[in-house]
Every structure is written in C-alpha cells, then in structure tokens.
Amino acid sequence: MSAFPKDFLWGAASAAYQVEGAYNADGKGPSIWDTFSHLPGATYQGTNGDVAVDHYHRFREDVALMAEMGMKSYRFSISWPRLLPAGRGAVNAAGVKFYSDLIDALLEHNIEPMITLYHWDLPQALQDEGGWEARSTAEAFEEYARLCYQHYGDRVKLWSTFNETVCFIGFGYITGGHPPGIQNPARAIQACHHVFVAHAKAVAAFRRSGINGKIGFVNVLQTHTPLSDSKEDMAAFHLAEGIFTHWLYDPVLKGEYPAALLEQAQTLWGVPQFAPGDEALLRDNICDFIGLNYYKRETIAANNQDTHLTMNTSGKKGLGHQQGNEFGFKGLFKFVRNPNGVYTDWDWEIYPQGLTEGIMSIKARYGDIPIYITENGLGAKDPIIDGEIVDDDRIDYLSQHIQAIEDAIKQGADVRGYYPWSFIDLLSWLNGFQKQYGFVYVDHQKQLARQRKKSFFWYQDVIKSNGAKR
Ligand code: BG6
C-alpha cells in the first residue's frame, strides 16, 4: 500500500516545440523558437525543433506507447502559431484538427489530457510587435486561449496557462540565452507583468466559458539553501526566495505581488507599471491549482562581483558554477556549487528531499491549494548495453522523487498527479538531443524509431501498483 490516493494521476509530460517537429507544415506559422534556433551558435551544435521527434506525424504510435506504459494522464502543450499562424485572427484548421485528434486518441485509451497553453513558442508575428513587453500580447493570448476552450473544452478538464515564467522571462530577458535574447531586468519585470495579466484574462475567460474543469499555472519549484549561516548569505538566500518564489507565485495564487519587493522594484526601475484594472484582474482570477516543476536545488551566497552565466549545455560536468560563470546579481546574490551536493553531468544538484520541502513550503504560504508535479526528471546520456537502454540512474532519480512526493502527501499536502519529464526523448532546448529525459528512446540514426527503455517497464509497475512498487 502507498499513500497515493487511488485516483492519483500517474502521467508524463512534453512540450510542442520539443516533440512535434513539422515546424512549417500544414499552415503553421513561425514561432520565436523557430527563428532563434536557426541563428548560428544559438543552440548546442545547431540543433533545432524542425523535425524534433516528429510527434506531429507519429502521435498515434506515441499514444499507443503511453497506453502500454499505463499512463493515466498526459501533459502536453499547444503550439500557439500552429493554431493562429500570426498570433491572432485567421485560424489554421489543420492545427486545430491535430490537437483534436490527439485528444481523441488519448481519451480512447483513457488517458486524461492536461493542456499547457504556453510552453515558450510565441508566434514570431507577435514578437515583431513587441512580444511580452507589449500589452497587446496579453490580449492576443486571451483570444488564443478562448479558441482552445472552444475547440477542446468539451473534452479536456485540466488546463494550465503558462509554463515556467522564471525560464522564458529569466532566460529571455535577463541572461539573454533564450529568445528574444534581451538582457535587461526592468524590461523582464514588465514583460513578466504582462504574462500575469494574460494569465488572469485567460482564467477569467475559462470561468466564463463554463468548462467543467480546472485551470492553473505551472512554475519551477526552486528550493534554495544558503551556503552558510552568515548574515550576508542568509540575506542573499531570503532575497532569492522572494524573487524566485514569492514574485512568481503570489500574483497567481494570492492575486498580488509581494509588497516589499514590489516597492523596491518600482523605486529602482519604475516597473512593473500597472494599467487601470490590473490589480482587480489579478485579485479576481487566482488559480484552481498549481503545477510544480522540480529538478534541482540551488545554493545561494552573497555576491559582490559581476557575474555572467554561460549555461552548461554540453553535459561536461563542472562547467557550471565556475568562477565568473555563476548566475547572480552584484550586491544581491548568486548561485554557487554546493560543496556537499551530488550533481548531474549538466551541473544540476540532485536533491529529492527538496521536493518534499518545496511542496510543504508552498502549502505553508498558499494554503490547501491542489498540487500537480507537472515536471521532474533526470537529463542524462543514457547507456546502451547490447541494444538495450539501461537508464538505471533515471530509475533511481524518479524513485527517490516519488518517495519525496509520498512524504509530502503523508504530511498533508494535496498532491494529485505526477508527470515525469518526459514521456519520450526530445529536444532539450539549448542542449540538443543528447540530454535525454524520456521513458522512450528515439533513434536519430534509424528514422526516429521508438524504443522502450528499462525505465518504461519500471514506470509501468509503479503505475500498476499506485506507487507502491518503485
Ligand atoms: C523545464 C522545461 O524547464 O525543464 C522543459 O519546462 C525542459 O521544457 C526541462 O526541457 C528540462 O530542461 P532542459 O534545459 O534540460 O531541457
């Protein structure tokens, strides 16, 4: 017997740009990732999602594998420019049909769809008008959300608006590693505000639509630990908590920004600027649930130097956290290597207990909000032995994190589902295809043939036993 409720959703997740391919097929418009990934030097060895793992053409085969593994739910995202090639206005019927067919295929196998409306692939046409820095993008997002409700709301009950503001705003507007490649905190804060506005508008439209379902937001669950208990490191740690958790969760779970930080940002940079009605919009449209994506913990230290982050996109351990290659802000904080930590080859600390701690801290701050663990997984180069993919490290990683979720449930958290990242090996944004996460391997030398990994059979047992066998 496990502590998991009997209707617990054992799932897996993916995102449109990372799996679909067919980047210009059947009327799809370009996204900012289509543009960005074609720029020389932007991604690891020039990899892109033009073909990805061709899920667009092979989704029936993929759904059959999901069913065989026993998945009860599948979290996927919709590509906005596949539905609305210019971001608003003319609708691409072939795009609408693709997701409709995918949803039907899932339901035929009793797999509950969970839709993410935005997993980073903004229509390029909207970026050309200012992207998230333009308030009109929030209005276009509402139009897009309503289109999705209209076509899929009869069959889909679980929806989330955005995936991981910290990444697409943080990398997009602060470090500049993701599109649109800007490095300007003030512009980041205003863009982020428009995302919260877009979210609230989409939640309001969802409630007006009368769909019999729930709508939430997906955030990175970034747990922090101070490097030491010195006054300086503790202050840096509290600041990191404020920025990476309170700033990003409060607007969607409490309907307001954390007051002290808001005042500081507005004094320092004059942002975020509110339009009339924004405060009420945020306050009246908080989420039904929160999705938490947990991969790693960050160790936080005081910081008196300029820092510049070059991400480890090669999988050569130790490239992250080198002197001068630490993410941070001068005078505020930086992320450093935990001297006692266990790290992946991409320098992500493996710390399963952080998932229990993080869930409980969300519960402590936001009350009894329903929680889904919408991502969690190990990025690794999987060993192939005698033709079999023997991903024991992934099994260990996931097993320990399932334990961590069970611990949180025993401590009273309302966790309703678990979506490991990912169902299938996919394009890992800047890291190409070498950073594998899936239960299913894709052979890029053999016409993208699918192969079940050792973890596929292991997860099948986990699901069958409702988490008891792991
Ligand atoms: C999350 C994203 O940030 O982490 C996924 O929602 C992503 O899209 C995953 O793939 C792992 O990150 P990465 O950079 O290793 O692919």
Side-chain angles (χ1 to χ4, degrees):
M1 282 284 283
S2 72
F4 292 97
K6 67 174 187 333
D7 54 356
F8 190 78
L9 291 180
W10 295 99
S14 77
Y17 185 70
Q18 297 180 271
V19 293
E20 285 177 6
Y23 80 111
N24 60 1
D26 301 341
K28 177 181 169 291
S31 79
I32 54 173
W33 270 93
D34 292 317
T35 310
F36 177 81
S37 65
H38 287 116
L39 299 174
T43 65
Y44 176 77
Q45 294 185 346
T47 36
N48 61 48
D50 289 4
V51 177
V53 295
D54 202 23
H55 178 70
Y56 184 77
H57 295 110
R58 298 176 185 234
F59 75 92
R60 291 190 194 281
E61 179 187 354
D62 291 340
V63 172
L65 283 165
M66 292 176 202
E68 183 186 328
M69 195 162 63
M71 274 165 57
K72 297 191 186 304
S73 184
Y74 175 48
R75 172 178 180 248
F76 62 95
S77 78
I78 294 182
S79 160
W80 183 349
R82 197 179 288 291
L83 257 49
L84 292 163
R88 59 166 83 83
V91 175
N92 177 29
V96 173
K97 183 175 180 315
F98 168 67
Y99 296 105
S100 187
D101 290 349
L102 172 62
I103 291 164
D104 284 344
L106 291 167
L107 292 174
E108 275 161 28
H109 288 97
N110 296 317
I111 300 172
E112 180 149 1
M114 178 193 259
I115 285 179
T116 310
L117 290 172
Y118 187 83
H119 203 125
W120 310 353
D121 45 355
L122 184 74
Q124 181 62 46
L126 294 180
Q127 185 60 48
D128 297 342
E129 294 174 17
W132 288 110
E133 290 180 79
R135 199 181 169 83
S136 51
T137 298
E139 278 137 28
F141 182 76
E142 185 194 338
E143 178 184 329
Y144 158 61
R146 280 194 282 110
L147 182 73
C148 295
Y149 304 155
Q150 179 198 333
H151 287 285
Y152 314 129
D154 56 337
R155 288 162 288 164
V156 179
K157 293 188 163 45
L158 287 172
W159 297 75
S160 40
T161 51
F162 286 90
N163 181 71
E164 297 186 349
T165 333
V166 73
C167 287
F168 74 91
I169 295 293
F171 297 143
Y173 292 86
I174 294 180
T175 68
H178 281 196
I182 289 161
Q183 296 181 320
N184 183 318
R187 289 171 67 182
I189 290 170
Q190 190 61 35
C192 192
H193 180 67
H194 291 148
V195 171
F196 293 140
V197 167
H199 164 77
K201 282 175 179 287
V203 170
F206 184 82
R207 294 194 174 133
R208 279 196 307 273
S209 76
I211 293 175
N212 175 22
K214 302 283 180 207
I215 188 155
F217 195 96
V218 173
N219 259 331
V220 170
L221 178 66
Q222 186 164 285
T223 48
H224 303 108
T225 188
L227 181 64
S228 77
D229 58 6
S230 73
K231 209 169 102 238
E232 293 76 17
D233 284 349
M234 288 306 291
F237 160 73
H238 288 302
L239 195 58
E241 283 281 293
I243 293 172
F244 294 104
T245 305
H246 309 162
W247 190 276
L248 299 173
Y249 284 74
D250 284 15
V252 300
L253 292 181
K254 291 175 145 192
E256 62 188 17
Y257 284 91
L261 276 181
L262 179 64
E263 201 189 316
Q264 280 174 30
Q266 288 180 330
T267 308
L268 197 60
W269 289 307
V271 284
Q273 286 169 7
F274 284 64
D278 280 2
E279 284 181 11
L281 186 69
L282 296 189
R283 199 182 50 233
D284 295 344
N285 293 291
I286 61 174
C287 294
D288 296 323
F289 68 85
I290 188 77
L292 305 177
N293 292 354
Y294 179 75
Y295 290 88
K296 59 183 160 85
R297 173 171 77 164
E298 295 290 356
T299 301
I300 307 297
N303 178 27
N304 297 315
Q305 294 157 343
D306 281 320
T307 45
H308 172 71
L309 178 78
T310 312
M311 275 200 263
N312 176 352
T313 58
S314 69
K316 291 201 182 69
K317 209 177 193 144
L319 285 181
H321 302 121
Q322 284 170 354
Q323 189 77 26
N325 187 21
E326 295 158 323
F327 175 76
F329 295 97
K330 191 174 182 177
L332 302 179
F333 62 82
K334 63 180 173 182
F335 294 175
V336 297
R337 201 171 189 88
N338 176 358
N340 306 314
V342 177
Y343 281 84
T344 72
D345 287 345
W346 275 263
D347 298 312
W348 292 21
E349 189 187 359
I350 302 177
Y351 184 65
Q353 215 183 311
L355 181 51
T356 317
E357 293 166 6
I359 293 170
M360 297 319 290
S361 71
I362 294 295
K363 180 172 159 62
R365 189 170 174 92
Y366 303 107
D368 286 326
I369 179 92
I371 292 172
Y372 293 86
I373 305 305
T374 33
E375 287 182 32
N376 170 239
L378 175 72
K381 292 175 195 163
D382 295 333
I384 304 185
I385 303 173
D386 296 333
E388 298 298 318
I389 295 94
V390 190
D391 54 343
D392 288 317
D393 290 349
R394 175 162 304 104
I395 293 173
D396 286 351
Y397 180 100
L398 296 176
S399 165
Q400 290 172 39
H401 286 80
I402 292 172
Q403 176 69 55
I405 298 168
E406 188 174 27
D407 290 347
I409 292 174
K410 284 185 185 154
Q411 290 173 40
D414 182 6
V415 187
R416 299 187 178 185
Y418 178 54
Y419 297 79
W421 187 264
S422 55
F423 162 66
I424 196 163
D425 284 349
L426 39 66
L427 177 73
S428 168
W429 303 105
L430 301 180
N431 311 290
F433 295 95
Q434 48 149 7
K435 193 178 185 187
Q436 298 160 265
Y437 280 99
F439 294 115
V440 173
Y441 170 75
V442 176
D443 193 335
H444 288 259
Q445 311 311 319
K446 284 195 192 147
Q447 286 91 42
L448 306 177
R450 274 59 171 153
Q451 186 177 339
R452 298 159 189 81
K453 298 185 190 177
K454 188 171 175 185
S455 61
F456 180 100
F457 301 104
W458 168 83
Y459 195 46
Q460 200 175 42
D461 281 345
V462 171
I463 299 174
K464 234 185 263 165
S465 65
N466 200 27
K469 214 172 142 203
R470 52 172 188 261

